[in-house]
Amino acid sequence: MLTSYAEFERIYGDAQDLAIGKDGAAVANYTAHAARAFFDNGGKQLFVVRVAAGETPPRAASTRTSAEDTETPEPPEPEPPRTSRGSRASRRHRRR
């Protein structure tokens, strides 16, 4: 949840055009413009969700050359596989 446009910029980048596709074609950053308009018109809490097809890893969307003021969280560590020891009933059955 975001509570200001400055917070949006810190996490998602500014309103500069986005580089989309393999050729890096410039496309207007409509999400950033919408976020700015939302807060400029009195919006208080904005929820932003990244949606991507397949297993595309997230990357910076802005065409800026420097991302020094943004934070990129590390992906969570995968959980180790769980081992199945069976239920209590099956353990009691094996003891007999």
Side-chain angles (χ1 to χ4, degrees), residues 37-70:
F38 176 81
F39 289 114
D40 285 351
N41 287 293
K44 302 290 183 204
Q45 297 178 336
L46 177 66
F47 292 85
V48 179
V49 178
R50 179 180 183 272
V51 178
E55 295 187 24
T56 306
R59 63 184 182 93
S62 177
T63 57
R64 293 183 301 165
T65 57
S66 174
E68 294 173 357
D69 60 341
T70 61

